[in-house]
Amino acid sequence: MTDIIDELEWRGLLAQTTDLDELRKALADGPVTLYCGFDPTAGSLHVGHLTQILTLARFQRAGHRPIALVGGGTGLIGDPKPNAERTLNSPETVKGWVKVLGRQLSAFLRFTPEGETPAPDDAILEDNGRWLAEMSSIELLRDIGKHFSVNQMLARETVKSRLDGAGMSYTEFSYVLLQSYDYVELYRRYGCVLQTGGSDQWGNITAGLDLIRRMDGNEPHGPAHGLTTNLLTKSDGTKFGKTESGTVWLDPELTSPYAFYQFWFNTDDRDVVRYLKVFSFRSREEIEELERQTLERPAARAAQRALAEELTVLVHGREECDKVVEASKALFGQGDLGGLDSATLGAALAEVPRAEVSGPVDVLPPVVDLLAETGLVASKSAARRVVQEGGAYLNNAKLTDVDARVSAEDLLHGRYLVLRRGKRNVGGVVVS
């Protein structure tokens, strides 16, 4: 057992706890069973979920038993948003998403190998649809609803903000009853005595704690606890987990491993050490060394590279990460473009300025025209000047002829061209 509270505090994760001294004692006497819930409101988890997923993993590494709870029941309702009603998804859609999220969560935690006896810290994957779907409306109102004060529910920040605006449906108003009862069920089934979540979940967590006290009197597993982590922000004021192209997903079909890697590699110097503490399993000494390198040689981007590689390996595997690193080098003239597979190269070019052209290769525009079409230069005349000055490249080969045209041999995988202006400005052409 290691002191996970000290670990979370150093990493800047600890936001709120119930009784910190009692929680420390329970963890020291452990192992403790804890849980965090993930509602299937989309077909994939995204990088915003990683704080909670990796917090569960940190507890497991410290010797405790995590439960990853997928909301097959609560996902049919959805945790109320602060500004608008959620769109309800069909039961069939939610059921499919439950399976997807279960597979994704299973990649981050250690479960009992098939045929072996469970260890005290082996993770558990649960679905609250198991008990919520079996509950009748009478049971919900009679056995659970009687423990909730409408006055207290109306005082919740999310409810107040919605009532001051467009209002809130009874469906979303009742969500807290369902999530609170999840804690009761996990307390009874597994002796779970700690719920974790983002700081925006504090109200739901404390409601669950109160429901355990009212329904079970903190017996037979002793007092239950709650712990939240700080919500992550970016120094430039933009929302974490978003790019110009949208949400950064964990599903490689929604966000390619290349785009995933680049998201972390492009982290602002002001944020990268904080992100390493939150998302990396590197030691304090390793992170402090990367912080020193960032201060002394920011252009080397050592911390960003370490962060991007660790998380890409964690989410997509070593093989995909190696492909991404090779593609990044090759795009900027430090590797062999011809050695990249079609999917990796296509994903890389999707993240840079590009043009799409069609027709037989012998009627494609001259390369200077393509440079302008990608936006690497402002005009065709500017493209000619770049070529004349020796700063233009086609597939990493320097262009010397302002009238150069593309040949069939230039097409990578029969459809891609990589253009570059100088060392850092890369663009692509997709030929159909």
Side-chain angles (χ1 to χ4, degrees):
M1 308 291 293
T2 60
D3 195 323
I4 184 64
I5 296 297
D6 285 349
E7 173 86 355
L8 296 178
E9 285 183 327
W10 175 76
R11 291 182 181 274
L13 283 165
L14 200 60
Q16 302 146 298
T17 63
T18 40
D19 188 323
L20 185 57
D21 290 337
E22 283 298 317
L23 178 57
R24 279 187 186 275
K25 183 177 183 305
L27 292 167
D29 294 340
V32 159
T33 299
L34 68 147
Y35 93 97
C36 184
F38 303 87
D39 273 349
T41 54
S44 172
L45 297 167
H46 53 72
V47 294
H49 292 109
L50 282 175
T51 303
Q52 299 313 317
I53 297 171
L54 299 181
T55 297
L56 285 182
R58 292 187 200 285
F59 271 96
Q60 185 172 42
R61 291 183 177 211
H64 305 287
R65 179 172 66 161
I67 301 172
L69 181 70
V70 182
T74 48
L76 292 167
I77 304 300
D79 197 5
K81 296 191 294 185
N83 51 8
E85 197 82 5
R86 287 185 182 275
T87 300
L88 298 182
N89 297 296
S90 71
E92 294 75 22
T93 297
V94 172
K95 187 176 181 179
W97 289 351
V98 166
K99 293 180 180 178
V100 172
L101 266 61
R103 287 196 300 270
Q104 291 181 332
L105 288 165
S106 296
F108 295 93
L109 302 168
R110 188 186 67 258
F111 292 83
T112 306
E114 188 174 351
E116 295 189 15
T117 303
D121 59 347
D122 280 350
I124 297 167
L125 183 66
E126 260 291 8
D127 174 6
N128 63 18
R130 288 181 59 197
W131 49 84
L132 294 179
E134 296 174 353
M135 184 182 299
S136 71
S137 58
I138 295 298
E139 288 175 314
L140 175 66
L141 295 172
R142 180 182 173 87
D143 299 337
I144 300 173
K146 68 179 181 181
H147 296 296
F148 285 80
S149 162
V150 171
N151 292 353
Q152 291 179 340
M153 292 173 71
L154 289 172
R156 292 162 60 86
E157 285 301 319
T158 302
V159 176
K160 286 198 297 184
S161 66
R162 289 280 293 278
L163 293 181
D164 290 340
M168 174 183 283
S169 71
Y170 181 74
T171 300
E172 291 199 359
F173 183 65
S174 303
Y175 179 90
V176 63
L177 276 68
L178 304 180
Q179 182 169 327
S180 298
Y181 187 67
D182 285 344
Y183 204 168
V184 173
E185 278 289 337
L186 295 174
Y187 181 84
R188 291 172 174 175
R189 290 172 184 242
Y190 299 106
C192 178
V193 293
L194 174 61
Q195 182 183 0
T196 65
S199 58
D200 59 338
Q201 291 296 309
W202 183 245
N204 288 334
I205 291 173
T206 54
L209 292 169
D210 187 59
L211 188 60
I212 290 173
R213 286 192 292 268
R214 290 174 180 274
M215 295 186 75
D216 287 15
N218 281 337
E219 296 291 345
H221 306 295
H225 303 273
L227 178 153
T228 65
T229 60
N230 290 304
L231 297 180
L232 209 56
T233 58
K234 292 176 72 173
S235 296
D236 62 7
T238 58
K239 188 173 181 179
F240 172 78
K242 296 281 188 179
T243 65
E244 291 183 5
S245 57
T247 301
V248 181
W249 302 96
L250 304 192
D251 186 335
E253 297 297 321
L254 299 175
T255 298
S256 71
Y258 184 89
F260 185 86
Y261 179 95
Q262 291 299 321
F263 169 77
W264 299 106
F265 187 75
N266 291 330
T267 298
D268 192 301
D269 286 346
R270 296 170 294 177
D271 295 322
V272 68
V273 173
R274 190 157 49 96
Y275 289 5
L276 279 166
K277 290 179 179 180
V278 172
F279 298 111
S280 171
F281 288 102
R282 291 172 184 267
S283 68
R284 183 169 187 162
E285 292 74 23
E286 289 175 303
I287 292 175
E288 288 175 346
E289 171 59 21
L290 288 167
E291 181 177 21
R292 183 190 65 77
Q293 292 181 40
T294 299
L295 291 171
E296 294 179 358
R297 297 181 59 228
R301 303 187 73 76
Q304 283 89 341
R305 184 171 291 104
L307 177 67
E309 291 195 15
E310 181 174 352
L311 283 167
T312 305
V313 169
L314 184 65
V315 174
H316 296 295
R318 168 54 65 186
E319 183 179 352
E320 285 297 328
C321 182
D322 289 345
K323 288 181 182 179
V324 166
V325 172
E326 288 305 310
S328 300
K329 292 178 179 178
L331 250 61
F332 293 93
Q334 300 168 7
D336 177 21
L337 286 168
L340 304 179
D341 63 67
S342 179
T344 302
L345 180 58
L349 293 183
E351 301 303 313
V352 300
R354 66 177 187 170
E356 297 187 9
V357 297
S358 60
V361 76
D362 56 355
V363 300
L364 294 181
V367 178
V368 289
D369 291 21
L370 295 174
L371 280 165
E373 288 187 37
T374 61
L376 288 175
V377 292
S379 63
K380 295 177 185 178
S381 59
R384 290 189 180 91
R385 286 196 298 273
V386 171
V387 172
Q388 290 168 346
E389 293 167 359
Y393 298 81
L394 169 64
N395 296 343
N396 289 338
K398 183 179 288 189
L399 288 167
T400 56
D401 182 2
V402 294
D403 297 318
R405 303 187 76 94
V406 176
S407 69
E409 290 74 23
D410 292 322
L411 295 179
L412 300 167
H413 298 289
R415 62 190 306 243
Y416 298 120
L417 299 169
V418 177
L419 300 175
R420 182 158 46 89
R421 176 173 64 84
K423 292 182 178 180
R424 292 189 168 274
N425 299 294
V426 174
V429 177
V430 181
V431 180
S432 60

